[in-house]
C-alpha cells in the first residue's frame, strides 16, 4: 500500500505506527478496527487518496483475542471425527475392491472434516428446530463423510455403506455417488456435484427463503443457507457470476464456505498465485463479508512474536504451489524452505522441533478457528458471508495422499496406508484384522452407548435433528376449479392472439385464484414486455426486498414498473442462469419448506435448454415441480432477430431430460388442458409421479384462437395427439400431423389439397411428440420384458388406427422432432422441418426456404400419394 509513495518523514511515520501498536496492546484489535475505520472514513471525506483494500494480509481475519470460547468438548468431538474419517475412507476403499471397482473420492472429505463437523456439532439446524432448520449444500465429492456420519447416527448400516455406488445391484441398501435427491429422496436435499450450479442455487435458495417470508407464506427469519464449495470450483463462471444478487438483496442468511485446499482435480488451483487472496478480492468487491481462516492456533504464538512482520511477509509472498509442496514433505523441509527464507523467521521457529513445525496446522483443521468464523458469519448483518478456509487435501491419509496432485483420483489405500491411517486416528483395530483382508478393512462403530455417540446424538437433538434430510410432506394445495380455465377455452373471437398471449391470460386468472394464486411465482428474465407480462407489474408487483425507493419514470402510466418487498414476480434481469436457479428454489419449496410454490418461468425459448440445460438436469435431480415456458418459440417466428434467436431444437434437447414433460401446443384451449393436467399431476390427490417439470413452447405469431370443441379430447391433448379435422369427402387420403405454429399451415394445406387436387387430408394436432415417443418406447420395453403377455399398443398407434394414406409430419423445428414417432406408425412417413441455422427474413420467406409452409406440405403430400 505504501510502495508507490515516498516516506518524507520516517520518524513521524514510526510515531504513528507505535501509537497504533500501543492501542492494540492496551485496548485490543476490536478497538483498533474501529479507530482505523474511522480514520479511513475521515480521510475519504477530506479527499485523501486512500486505496481500496480488496485483500488483507495472509492471516486470519478474526484476531486471536476476538475468538469466542469454543463451547463443545473438543476432545470428544475429535475422537468421533477420527471414526468418521476412517469410515468414509474405508467405504470408498471397499467399493474399489477387484470384484466391484466403482470408484469414489477419499481425499476431499479427509481435508474438510473439521469444516463439516464444527457445523454439525454447533451450527447446522435440522428440520425439527423451532426456526425451521437450515439448508446445507454439501460439496459433492465429500459425500462419503456424510454417509459415515449417518452410520454413526444409526441412520445407515454397514450393508448400506457397502452399497456405495451400486444402486441397482445393491438396491435397498445403496448409496448414490454424490448428493442426488432423486436417487435418495429421504436423505439428500440438494444436488451439488455439477460444479458452479451449487453456488447459484444456494444464492437463490437464500433469496427464496426471504421471498417466502416477505410474502407472508412462511416465517424463514431463523433459517440459514450454507454452501460448501471447492476453491477449484470457484473457477466456474457460474460460481462467481451471481454474487452481486446476494449482496444487493443483503442476504445475510447465506454463508459460503470455500474449502481452500489449493488443489484442483489435476494440480494446483493457482500454483503461481494465491487463490485465497484472489477470492477475497472478488467477494469483497462483490459486496460480501469475507472471513479468512488460514492458520491454526499453533501459529498464534509465532505471529504474536512477529514484531517486524517478517513472518506475515513470508506468508504473503509464498505461492500456493509452495504451500502445497510443504504439506507433501516434512517438518525439516518446511523449516528450511518456509521459515528459512529470512533470518528473522528462521529464528522465530528455532525453538520448535521438526515434529512441532510439521504440526503447525492450517486453519481449516482447527476447531477453534472454524467455530469463530462460523459464529461471526451467522451474527453478521447486512451482507452475505464467505469463509475462505485453508486446508490440506487428503489430510491425515499419509504421505501417498496428502497434498499430492493425484490425490483426487486415488480411490484405495495400501495395507501400509491403512495401518498408518489407523495409527494416526488411534483406532482399536489390530494389524491382524487389517492383514486378514486388506480389501475389506472393518468399519468402526463403538456402539450406541459409547459416550462419544451419546454426545454426537445430543448435539443433533439440540440442533433440531439429522442432516442431510429431505421431507416431501407439505401443506395441501387447493387446485383451481373449471372457471379458472374458461379464458383458455373461449378462444380469441375475431381478434388474433399468439399462444404466448393465450398463456399469459391463463396465468393472470391462475394468479387471481383464491386457492392457488398466492403460490404462483412468475419468473422472468428481462423480457416481460415482450411476453405481455408487464400487465402484471401494477398489481402483482416485482419482488425486491429493498422495496422501491426511487421515483419511477413511468409512474403515471397504467403499466408502471412497480417493485415491492412483498412483490410476487421474480424478475432476474438479463440472467437466464439466475432465473433457473430461482425456478429450482421455488419449485422445491414443497420439500425444503413444506410450503408449495408453483414457479412459472417464461423466457426466450432459444435461451432455455440450449443455454441452461445442465441446470434443468440439476432441477430434475432435486425433484423440482413447475412450468417452463419457452416463449417466442420456433425457428421462423422471430422474423427479424436471426440466428441466435431462432429456436429449432429445444424440444429435442428437452426430450433428453426424463423429468421434463414437453408440449408444443397450437391453441389456447390446449394450453389450458395441459396446465390443468400439470397442476393435478404435481399437487393433485393420488398422483403417483408428481416430481416433473412441464415445458410448453408458445409462439409470438398472432392467429385466430378457436374456442374449445364441445367434445374436447382432453386425453388426446395431454397424452400428445388429437384430431382437429376429418376430411369430409372421398378421394386419395393423407394424414397431416403438425404441432404448435405449424398447425395452421397444415389446416391451410388440407384446404388446398381438397379444393385443387381432390385429396382428403385429415389434420392432427400433435401436442407432444416426445410424450408419444416415450409411451411408444414404454410399450416396446413392456413387450420385451413380458413376451407371454399381449403387447400393449402405443397410444399414437391406437389413436391413428385405420388412418389411411401417407403421413406428412411438420413443425417449426428440426426434422428430428416429429421423427420421434415415425416407428410407431405403419403408414409411409415424411417429415418437414427447419433443419440448419436460422436467419433474418419474413416468416413467409423463411418457411419457404425450409420447405415447411402450407404449399410445401401440399407438394410433399402429393409426392407421397403419387409414389
Amino acid at each position: 500500500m505504501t510502495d508507490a509513495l515516498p516516506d518524507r518523514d520516517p520518524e513521524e511515520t514510526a510515531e504513528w505506527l507505535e501509537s497504533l501498536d500501543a492501542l492494540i496492546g492496551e485496548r485490543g484489535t476490536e478497538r483498533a478496527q474501529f479507530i482505523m475505520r474511522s480514520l479511513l472514513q475521515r480521510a475519504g471525506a477530506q479527499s485523501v487518496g486512500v486505496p481500496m483494500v480488496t485483500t488483507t494480509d495472509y492471516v486470519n481475519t478474526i484476531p486471536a483475542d476476538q475468538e469466542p470460547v469454543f463451547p463443545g468438548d473438543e476432545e470428544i468431538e475429535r475422537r468421533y471425527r477420527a471414526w468418521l474419517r476412517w469410515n468414509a475412507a474405508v467405504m470408498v476403499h471397499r467399493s474399489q475392491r477387484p470384484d466391484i471397482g466403482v470408484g469414489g473420492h477419499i481425499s476431499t472429505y479427509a481435508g474438510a472434516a473439521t469444516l463439516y463437523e464444527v457445523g454439525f456439532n454447533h451450527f447446522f439446524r435440522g428440520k425439527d428446530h423451532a426456526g425451521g432448520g437450515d439448508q446445507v449444500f454439501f460439496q459433492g465429492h465429500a459425500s462419503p463423510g456424510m454417509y459415515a456420519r449417518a452410520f454413526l447416527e444409526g441412520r445407515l448400516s454397514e450393508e448400506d455403506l457397502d452399497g456405495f455406488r451400486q444402486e441397482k445391484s445393491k438396491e435397498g441398501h445403496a448409496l448414490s455417488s454424490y448428493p442426488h435427491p432423486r436417487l435418495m429422496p429421504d436423505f439428500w436435499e440438494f444436488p451439488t456435484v455439477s460444479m458452479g450450479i451449487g453456488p447459484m442455487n444456494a444464492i437463490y435458495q437464500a433469496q427464496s427463503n426471504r421471498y417466502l417470508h416477505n410474502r407472508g407464506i412462511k416465517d424463514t427469519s431463523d433459517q440459514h443457507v450454507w454452501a460448501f464449495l471447492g476453491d477449484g470450483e470457484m473457477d466456474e463462471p457460474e460460481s462467481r457470476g451471481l454474487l452481486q444478487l446476494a449482496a444487493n438483496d443483503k442476504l445475510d442468511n447465506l454463508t459460503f464456505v470455500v474449502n481452500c485446499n489449493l488443489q484442483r482435480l489435476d494440480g494446483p488451483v493457482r500454483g503461481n498465485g494465491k487463490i485465497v487472496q484472489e477470492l477475497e478480492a472478488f467477494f469483497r468487491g462483490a459486496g460480501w463479508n469475507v472471513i479468512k481462516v488460514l492458520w491454526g492456533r499453533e501459529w498464534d504464538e509465532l505471529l504474536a512474536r512477529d514484531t517486524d512482520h517478517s513472518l506475515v511477509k513470508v506468508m504473503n509472498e509464498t505461492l500456493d504451489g509452495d504451500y502445497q509442496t510443504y504439506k507433501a514433505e516434512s517438518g525439516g523441509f518446511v523449516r528450511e524452505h518456509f521459515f528459512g527464507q529470512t533470518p528473522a523467521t528462521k529464528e522465530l521457529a528455532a525453538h520448535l522441533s521438526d515434529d512441532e513445525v510439521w504440526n503447525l496446522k492450517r486453519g481449516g483443521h482447527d476447531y477453534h478457528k472454524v467455530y469463530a468464523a462460523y459464529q461471526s458469519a451467522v451474527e453478521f448483518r447486512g451482507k452475505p458471508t464467505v469463509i475462505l478456509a485453508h486446508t490440506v487435501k487428503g489430510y491425515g491419509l499419509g504421505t501417498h495422499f496428502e497434498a499430492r496432485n493425484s490425490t483426487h483420483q486415488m480411490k484405495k489405500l495400501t495395507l501400509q496406508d491403512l495401518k498408518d491411517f489407523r495409527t494416526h486416528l488411534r483406532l482399536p483395530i489390530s494389524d491382524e484384522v487389517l492383514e486378514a483382508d486388506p480389501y475389506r478393512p472393518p468399519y468402526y462403530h463403538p456402539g450406541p452407548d459409547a459416550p462419544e455417540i451419546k454426545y454426537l446424538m445430543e448435539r443433533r437433538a439440540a440442533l433440531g435433528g439429522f442432516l442431510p434430510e429431505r421431507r416431501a410432506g407439505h401443506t395441501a394445495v387447493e387446485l383451481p376449479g373449471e372457471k379458472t380455465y374458461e379464458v383458455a377455452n373461449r378462444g380469441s373471437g375475431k381478434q388474433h392472439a399468439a399462444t404466448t398471449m393465450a398463456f399469459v391470460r391463463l396465468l393472470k386468472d391462475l394468479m387471481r385464484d383464491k386457492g392457488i394464486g398466492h403460490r404462483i411465482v412468475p419468473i422472468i428474465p428481462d423480457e416481460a414486455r415482450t411476453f405481455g407480462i408487464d400487465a402484471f407489474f401494477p398489481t402483482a408487483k416485482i419482488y425486491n426486498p429493498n422495496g422501491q425507493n426511487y421515483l419511477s419514470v413511468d409512474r403515471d402510466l397504467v403499466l408502471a414498473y412497480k417493485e415491492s418487498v412483498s412483490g410476487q414476480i421474480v424478475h432476474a434481469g438479463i440472467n437466464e442462469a439466475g432465473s433457473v436457479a430461482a425456478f429450482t428454489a421455488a419449485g422445491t419449496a414443497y420439500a425444503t419448506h413444506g410450503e408449495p410454490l408453483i414457479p412459472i418461468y417464461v423466457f426466450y425459448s432459444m435461451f432455455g435448454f440450449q443455454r441452461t440445460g445442465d441446470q434443468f438436469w440439476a432441477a430434475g435431480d432435486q425433484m423440482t415441480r413447475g412450468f417452463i415456458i419457452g416463449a417466442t418459440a420456433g425457428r421462423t417466428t422471430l422474423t427479424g432477430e436471426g440466428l441466435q434467436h431462432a429456436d429449432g431444437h429445444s424440444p429435442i434437447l428437452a426430450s433428453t431430460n426424463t423429468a421434463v414433460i414437453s408440449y408444443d401446443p397450437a391453441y389456447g384451449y390446449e394450453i389450458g388442458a395441459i396446465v390443468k393436467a400439470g397442476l393435478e399431476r404435481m399437487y393433485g390427490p393420488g398422483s403417483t409421479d408428481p416430481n416433473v417439470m412441464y415445458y410448453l413452447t408458445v409462439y409470438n405469431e398472432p392467429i385466430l384462437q378457436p374456442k374449445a370443441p364441445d367434445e374436447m379430447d382432453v386425453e388426446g391433448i395431454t397424452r400428445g395427439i388429437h384430431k382437429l379435422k376429418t376430411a369430409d369427402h372421398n378421394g386419395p387420403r393423407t394424414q397431416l400431423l403438425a404441432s404448435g405454429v405449424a398447425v395452421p399451415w397444415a389446416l391451410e394445406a388440407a384446404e388446398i389439397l381438397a379444393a385443387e387436387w381432390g385429396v382428403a387430408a385429415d389434420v392432427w394436432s400433435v401436442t407432444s411428440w416426445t410424450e408419444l415417443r416415450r409411451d411408444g418406447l414404454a410399450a416396446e420395453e413392456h413387450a420385451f420384458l413380458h413376451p407371454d403377455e399381449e403387447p400393449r399398443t402405443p397410444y399414437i398407434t391406437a389413436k391413428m388406427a385405420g388412418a389411411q394414406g401417407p403421413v406428412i409430419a411438420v413443425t417449426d423445428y428440426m426434422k428430428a422432432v416429429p421423427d420421434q414417432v415415425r416407428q410407431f406408425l405403419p403408414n409411409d412417413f415424411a417429415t418437414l422441418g427447419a433443419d440448419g441455422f436460422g436467419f433474418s427474413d419474413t416468416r413467409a420467406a423463411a418457411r419457404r426456404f425450409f420447405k415447411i409452409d402450407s404449399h410445401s406440405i401440399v407438394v410433399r403430400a402429393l409426392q407421397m400419394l403419387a409414389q
Side-chain angles (χ1 to χ4, degrees):
M1 294 181 69
T2 59
D3 286 351
L5 298 172
D7 186 353
R8 303 192 186 283
D9 192 340
E11 188 174 339
E12 183 183 27
T13 302
E15 290 176 0
W16 279 96
L17 294 176
E18 289 170 9
S19 177
L20 177 62
D21 290 342
L23 173 65
I24 296 171
E26 293 207 11
R27 302 292 300 278
T29 56
E30 185 176 6
R31 178 60 181 161
Q33 282 179 350
F34 182 83
I35 294 297
M36 286 301 300
R37 288 172 184 244
S38 298
L39 289 171
L40 288 169
Q41 184 171 310
R42 179 59 59 87
Q46 295 291 336
S47 298
V48 175
V50 179
M52 178 182 177
V53 180
T54 55
T55 57
T56 57
D57 283 328
Y58 203 72
V59 295
N60 295 340
T61 301
I62 301 173
D65 66 344
Q66 290 187 34
E67 290 177 14
V69 175
F70 182 73
D73 187 324
E74 185 176 3
E75 191 53 42
I76 286 182
E77 292 182 28
R78 282 183 177 278
R79 283 205 292 273
Y80 64 74
R81 185 188 66 178
W83 308 339
L84 291 170
R85 295 175 66 218
W86 172 263
N87 289 334
V90 163
M91 180 185 71
V92 176
H93 175 80
R94 286 166 68 127
S95 72
Q96 194 59 18
R97 60 188 184 273
D99 57 321
I100 301 295
V102 292
H105 299 284
I106 291 178
S107 295
T108 297
Y109 178 72
T114 296
L115 301 178
Y116 286 113
E117 279 306 294
V118 171
F120 276 121
N121 292 323
H122 303 286
F123 291 95
F124 304 159
R125 288 157 317 172
K127 293 188 179 296
D128 292 327
H129 189 273
D134 294 344
Q135 289 89 47
V136 185
F137 289 71
F138 295 97
Q139 198 175 357
H141 292 127
S143 62
M146 310 313 124
Y147 295 140
R149 184 168 239 278
F151 172 62
L152 288 190
E153 294 167 339
R155 295 200 288 157
L156 296 178
S157 66
E158 288 194 16
E159 189 176 1
D160 294 329
L161 297 188
D162 276 345
F164 180 60
R165 292 190 168 195
Q166 300 153 73
E167 295 174 69
K168 298 304 178 185
S169 58
K170 298 289 180 64
E171 192 166 2
H173 292 280
L175 303 179
S176 61
S177 54
Y178 302 123
H180 286 305
R182 185 169 287 275
L183 299 175
M184 297 180 66
D186 299 321
F187 193 86
W188 295 114
E189 196 163 22
F190 304 105
T192 53
V193 85
S194 284
M195 302 288 101
I197 291 179
M200 288 194 296
N201 283 358
I203 290 171
Y204 274 87
Q205 183 64 56
Q207 187 204 52
S208 188
N209 288 7
R210 290 283 167 83
Y211 176 90
L212 279 161
H213 184 83
N214 290 337
R215 292 198 55 227
I217 296 174
K218 182 189 177 187
D219 182 357
T220 62
S221 58
D222 197 27
Q223 295 186 271
H224 203 84
V225 177
W226 300 82
F228 285 81
L229 315 168
D231 48 358
E233 179 180 3
M234 298 311 295
D235 277 352
E236 287 282 5
E238 295 88 348
S239 296
R240 306 193 194 190
L242 293 172
L243 299 183
Q244 79 287 341
L245 172 85
N248 292 343
D249 278 17
K250 300 180 176 63
L251 296 179
D252 50 25
N253 61 337
L254 171 67
T255 297
F256 277 13
V257 181
V258 184
N259 177 19
C260 296
N261 55 37
L262 314 185
Q263 292 184 238
R264 291 180 181 146
L265 308 188
D266 291 329
V269 180
R270 295 290 184 274
N272 290 323
K274 298 178 82 67
I275 186 60
V276 169
Q277 303 297 79
E278 177 187 319
L279 293 175
E280 178 186 21
F282 201 95
F283 277 91
R284 196 184 299 279
W288 285 52
N289 175 44
V290 180
I291 300 173
K292 294 193 292 191
V293 185
L294 305 182
W295 309 110
R297 74 195 75 162
E298 300 84 1
W299 292 85
D300 289 345
E301 183 265 340
L302 295 177
L303 288 165
R305 293 195 294 111
D306 182 34
T307 55
D308 65 352
H309 307 299
S310 297
L311 178 57
V312 172
K313 187 173 187 295
V314 169
M315 289 173 165
N316 286 339
E317 294 175 355
T318 298
L319 301 174
D320 282 359
D322 290 322
Y323 277 127
Q324 180 188 348
T325 298
Y326 296 152
K327 293 311 292 184
E329 296 294 338
S330 65
F333 186 95
V334 174
R335 180 191 302 280
E336 178 183 353
H337 291 86
F338 179 75
F339 288 106
Q341 292 184 48
T342 73
T345 50
K346 185 176 183 179
E347 177 60 27
L348 203 60
H351 66 293
L352 300 176
S353 67
D354 285 352
D355 285 343
E356 288 172 324
V357 169
W358 182 247
N359 285 320
L360 292 168
K361 294 183 179 61
R362 305 280 166 88
H365 303 302
D366 189 304
Y367 274 51
H368 290 199
K369 304 299 184 182
V370 174
Y371 179 87
Y374 287 7
Q375 187 66 29
S376 178
V378 297
E379 291 176 350
F380 194 89
R381 293 293 173 263
K383 293 181 179 182
T385 294
V386 60
I387 295 169
L388 305 173
H390 199 180
T391 62
V392 178
K393 195 166 188 176
Y395 181 71
L397 290 174
T399 56
H400 293 148
F401 283 81
E402 266 193 8
R404 299 290 174 181
N405 281 334
S406 59
T407 190
H408 188 79
Q409 279 72 33
M410 296 170 73
K411 321 281 184 197
K412 57 187 178 182
L413 302 102
T414 66
L415 178 59
Q416 191 59 48
D417 287 334
L418 288 167
K419 290 180 178 180
D420 292 345
F421 192 36
R422 176 274 324 267
T423 302
H424 173 70
L425 298 176
R426 303 176 185 175
L427 296 181
I429 300 173
S430 68
D431 285 354
E432 289 75 18
V433 168
L434 296 177
E435 290 166 357
D437 187 351
Y439 287 111
R440 295 178 64 90
Y443 298 113
Y444 184 76
H445 195 307
D449 295 327
E452 295 88 350
I453 300 301
K454 288 184 175 180
Y455 177 99
L456 177 151
M457 299 293 278
E458 287 168 0
R459 292 307 309 141
R460 287 315 312 156
L463 288 166
F466 298 123
L467 280 175
E469 182 188 18
R470 182 181 180 275
R471 297 180 184 178
H474 57 77
T475 302
V477 174
E478 183 181 344
L479 295 177
E482 294 297 330
K483 185 175 178 60
T484 301
Y485 300 97
E486 285 180 359
V487 67
N489 292 334
R490 72 169 67 114
S492 61
K494 295 181 180 180
Q495 291 184 332
H496 286 68
T499 48
T500 296
M501 185 53 63
F503 175 80
V504 170
R505 289 173 179 172
L506 172 61
L507 176 57
K508 185 176 182 180
D509 282 359
L510 286 170
M511 292 172 68
R512 286 176 171 174
D513 186 86
K514 291 182 179 179
I516 204 174
H518 67 293
R519 299 191 183 276
I520 301 291
V521 184
I523 300 171
I524 48 173
D526 201 21
E527 287 287 355
R529 300 182 194 281
T530 301
F531 309 137
I533 296 178
D534 55 332
F536 299 172
F537 288 171
T539 52
K541 299 184 179 63
I542 296 159
Y543 174 72
N544 188 326
N546 303 309
Q548 184 166 321
N549 303 311
Y550 58 90
L551 194 63
S552 176
V553 68
D554 59 2
R555 62 192 178 280
D556 295 329
L557 299 181
V558 174
L559 301 183
Y561 192 86
K562 290 188 178 179
E563 300 177 80
S564 171
V565 173
S566 58
Q568 189 168 2
I569 302 168
V570 175
H571 193 298
I574 305 176
N575 183 358
E576 284 82 16
S579 297
V580 181
F583 174 83
T584 303
T588 53
Y590 72 91
T592 310
H593 291 289
E595 288 290 346
L597 295 176
I598 300 166
I600 298 179
Y601 171 35
V602 188
F603 57 95
Y604 262 109
S605 64
M606 188 70 159
F607 303 148
F609 288 86
Q610 172 177 299
R611 190 161 182 165
T612 53
D614 194 20
Q615 285 183 265
F616 283 120
W617 269 104
D621 200 0
Q622 198 170 326
M623 292 179 282
T624 304
R625 304 175 188 175
F627 294 89
I628 307 163
I629 311 300
T632 57
R635 182 144 279 162
T636 68
T637 59
L638 280 171
T639 54
E641 294 287 358
L643 181 132
Q644 287 185 320
H645 291 68
D647 174 22
H649 46 276
S650 282
I652 284 292
L653 298 179
S655 73
T656 64
N657 190 326
T658 307
V660 174
I661 313 299
S662 65
Y663 290 92
D664 187 26
Y667 299 130
Y669 70 81
E670 293 179 339
I671 292 172
I674 292 165
V675 170
K676 184 173 185 285
L679 288 173
E680 289 173 349
R681 180 167 179 176
M682 295 173 202
Y683 291 108
S687 176
T688 57
D689 185 19
N691 300 318
V692 291
M693 300 169 280
Y694 271 53
Y695 175 50
L696 281 70
T697 53
V698 294
Y699 298 84
N700 70 321
E701 185 169 354
I703 62 171
L704 286 174
Q705 293 286 340
K707 72 175 193 175
D710 293 335
E711 299 296 328
M712 183 167 59
D713 184 1
V714 175
E715 182 189 36
I717 291 171
T718 56
R719 294 194 66 175
I721 185 171
H722 68 112
K723 201 170 192 178
L724 283 180
K725 179 182 178 181
T726 301
D728 57 3
H729 63 281
N730 294 322
R733 207 162 195 92
T734 186
Q735 308 296 319
L736 306 184
L737 274 60
S739 67
V741 77
V743 166
W745 316 338
L747 289 169
E748 183 181 5
E751 293 176 1
I752 296 172
L753 285 166
E756 301 184 19
W757 299 93
V759 170
D762 299 332
V763 180
W764 303 76
S765 175
V766 181
T767 52
S768 181
W769 306 95
T770 299
E771 286 307 293
L772 292 174
R773 175 172 179 77
R774 288 173 174 173
D775 171 80
L777 293 177
E780 289 183 347
E781 183 172 7
H782 186 271
F784 172 54
L785 298 177
H786 303 86
D788 297 331
E789 297 181 12
E790 185 71 21
R792 179 174 71 79
T793 303
Y795 185 78
I796 187 173
T797 310
K799 195 74 171 174
M800 294 189 66
Q804 299 175 4
V807 169
I808 315 299
V810 59
T811 73
D812 202 23
Y813 292 97
M814 59 194 302
K815 295 181 179 70
V817 173
D819 267 354
Q820 292 179 95
V821 303
R822 181 191 290 262
Q823 74 197 69
F824 307 112
L825 293 175
N827 313 57
D828 290 339
F829 196 102
T831 304
L832 301 179
D835 285 55
F837 290 112
F839 50 85
S840 299
D841 211 318
T842 65
R843 288 173 177 146
R847 289 162 187 170
R848 178 55 56 90
F849 172 82
F850 286 119
K851 310 299 184 293
I852 56 176
D853 58 355
S854 56
H855 298 92
S856 299
I857 298 172
V858 169
V859 172
R860 195 71 183 98
L862 294 174
Q863 286 179 341
M864 295 286 286
L865 286 166
Q867 289 170 3

